[in-house]
Amino acid sequence: MSKKNKKSLRVNRQRNSYIIGISIGVLAGIIFGYATDSIIVSILVCGLLGFGMGHAIYKTIG
């Protein structure tokens, strides 16, 4: 594989890890939001936690 192709795969893997983490965080935020009657705050907090989870996923894989 060329250097350009390896770099492209790394960027795609990083982006996909963040997308997975944020989407799981937002889904959890929606569930917690309905349970606590504060949907917006829960979505924001869990979305940020999901971003961190996506970063952890990327660092674990890479």
Side-chain angles (χ1 to χ4, degrees):
M1 292 180 106
S2 66
K3 281 187 173 184
K4 184 177 181 182
N5 196 13
K6 285 183 182 180
K7 184 176 181 180
S8 175
L9 288 174
R10 186 177 66 225
V11 170
N12 286 339
R13 186 181 311 128
Q14 182 178 15
R15 186 186 69 231
N16 290 341
S17 296
Y18 286 131
I19 289 171
I20 289 170
I22 292 171
S23 63
I24 290 172
V26 168
L27 288 173
I30 291 170
I31 292 169
F32 290 139
Y34 281 124
T36 61
D37 292 332
S38 59
I39 295 173
I40 295 173
V41 174
S42 294
I43 289 174
L44 289 176
V45 170
C46 289
L48 289 173
L49 290 173
F51 180 78
M53 186 171 54
H55 183 72
I57 291 169
Y58 175 69
K59 289 296 182 179
T60 302
I61 291 172

